[in-house]
Amino acid sequence: MGERFSRIKILILRSNKFQGLLPRELCNLTSLQILDLAYNNLFGNIPRCISNFSVMMRESEMDDDIEYPSNNVYFNSSFMEDALLVNKGEMAKYSTILKFVRMIDLSKNNFSGGVPVGVTDLSTLQSLNLSHNSLTGRIPENIGAMSSLESIDFSGNQLSGEIPQSISKLTFLSVLNLSNNKLSGRIPSSTQLQTFSASSFTGNELCGPPLSNNCTVSVPTSVDQNRGEKEGNEDGVDWFYVSMALGFVVGFWSFVGPLFFNRRWRRMYFQFLNRLQDKLGSVNDVISGYDI
């Protein structure tokens, strides 16, 4: 298809029973402005070469009309193409403004792997729906570069990590659904993101408005740090005191142990103490004589 229909602009194969991998030859459709493969049984990774859809990168292409000449001899004018598109969750018929629409819908398939980073090069893409697949990894950090995005739906996947801060730059965004993933952390603050309902973020481990669970991130003071260090020392093992206690026990039993179990040593020890007492007594007598 990428070779024989290289100039195709609209490809809608929605709600069929296509299965298998997404052909990489589709990336040769550089004039493609609408790709809708939703509700099929496609699997595997989304090709990285999806960034080859150059029409979705240049605003100048929007001036091209999608017109076809009439073969009817009674009409000399051409007619404008129209199409039924599901955009922002609703099906509508596009005719006069069809040439301005830029959208990709790969929802309700079995795609795996990550969201291709190259998709962020499609700066004039207006709608991106990758929902209800098995995508993993993180949302591309540079998603904010897709400045024309009006609708994002990544729901029902297994995406993880934090929501990129750059998403707050999407000032035209009117539909956002990141629910039922494995996202975590604080929802970026912006005048745009906080206007969406909490259902756009549920089913994750996120916090902050518009969700009811607030993020509790406190900056530790010097007192808290000292307290934390003390608590850490209490919870840990102080090997200095352990070695002292161990040395005392070993020294004590090395000296006292033989006195308990060896009668000869015990007798010699007490004789030593008696002689020591006698010597100390004589020394005291001499000192007393000098005082007199």
Side-chain angles (χ1 to χ4, degrees):
M1 182 173 289
E3 298 176 357
R4 302 190 62 179
F5 302 99
S6 58
R7 297 183 62 186
I8 195 170
K9 295 187 176 184
I10 301 174
L11 180 59
I12 303 176
L13 300 175
R14 183 186 189 90
S15 299
N16 285 285
K17 296 183 180 180
F18 292 116
Q19 58 185 357
L21 301 174
L22 190 64
R24 293 184 179 273
E25 286 75 13
L26 286 180
C27 296
N28 296 330
L29 304 178
T30 56
S31 298
L32 197 66
Q33 66 181 60
I34 296 174
L35 176 62
D36 189 349
L37 303 177
Y39 288 85
N40 282 287
N41 296 313
L42 301 171
F43 57 83
N45 293 345
I46 300 174
R48 296 182 179 179
C49 57
I50 196 173
S51 59
N52 290 355
F53 300 151
S54 56
V55 171
M56 302 183 186
M57 302 169 60
R58 299 192 301 269
E59 295 182 3
S60 58
E61 295 291 340
M62 290 185 176
D63 295 332
D64 295 342
D65 291 336
I66 306 175
E67 297 181 352
Y68 300 88
S70 173
N71 294 326
N72 193 322
V73 294
Y74 297 103
F75 296 94
N76 295 323
S77 62
S78 60
F79 66 93
M80 183 74 68
E81 177 66 69
D82 57 38
L84 286 174
L85 302 179
V86 177
N87 192 11
K88 301 180 182 179
E90 298 180 357
M91 179 172 285
K93 184 177 180 179
Y94 290 78
S95 55
T96 57
I97 64 171
L98 183 61
K99 61 182 179 180
F100 299 112
V101 180
R102 304 289 186 270
M103 63 174 292
I104 294 177
D105 191 344
L106 302 179
S107 61
K108 292 287 185 175
N109 282 283
N110 296 307
F111 289 115
S112 57
V115 178
V117 177
V119 75
T120 60
D121 294 333
L122 308 179
S123 57
T124 62
L125 187 66
Q126 298 162 341
S127 177
L128 178 60
N129 190 346
L130 304 179
S131 65
H132 300 285
N133 283 285
S134 299
L135 299 177
T136 57
R138 304 172 69 93
I139 299 174
E141 289 292 332
N142 198 31
I143 194 171
M146 306 175 72
S147 56
S148 298
L149 271 178
E150 301 174 7
S151 175
I152 299 176
D153 192 346
F154 290 162
S155 62
N157 284 285
Q158 300 179 35
L159 299 175
S160 58
E162 297 182 348
I163 300 175
Q165 185 65 38
S166 66
I167 201 172
S168 60
K169 299 178 181 179
L170 302 178
T171 55
F172 293 106
L173 199 62
S174 59
V175 174
L176 176 65
N177 193 348
L178 302 178
S179 63
N180 299 316
N181 279 281
K182 297 181 179 179
L183 300 172
S184 59
R186 179 189 294 272
I187 298 174
S189 299
S190 72
T191 55
Q192 191 79 4
L193 295 180
Q194 275 62 49
T195 60
F196 296 111
S197 65
S199 61
S200 298
F201 305 96
T202 56
N204 293 285
E205 297 181 0
L206 297 168
C207 61
L211 297 178
S212 57
N213 53 325
N214 295 323
C215 302
T216 55
V217 179
S218 59
V219 179
T221 61
S222 58
V223 176
D224 295 332
Q225 291 177 349
N226 294 333
R227 184 182 303 169
E229 292 177 359
K230 292 180 180 179
E231 291 177 353
N233 292 335
E234 291 175 358
D235 295 336
V237 178
D238 196 328
W239 292 105
F240 174 75
Y241 293 107
V242 171
S243 60
M244 283 185 58
L246 184 61
F248 173 78
V249 172
V250 172
F252 177 80
W253 282 106
S254 298
F255 177 74
V256 178
L259 299 180
F260 280 98
F261 302 104
N262 193 316
R263 181 179 297 178
R264 182 168 174 271
W265 282 32
R266 189 163 58 248
R267 184 179 301 165
M268 293 175 61
Y269 177 69
F270 285 118
Q271 290 177 354
F272 169 75
L273 292 179
N274 288 333
R275 287 196 298 271
L276 182 62
Q277 184 178 4
D278 293 339
K279 289 183 179 180
L280 290 175
S282 61
V283 170
N284 288 333
D285 292 341
V286 172
I287 294 174
S288 299
Y290 277 115
D291 290 340
I292 296 172

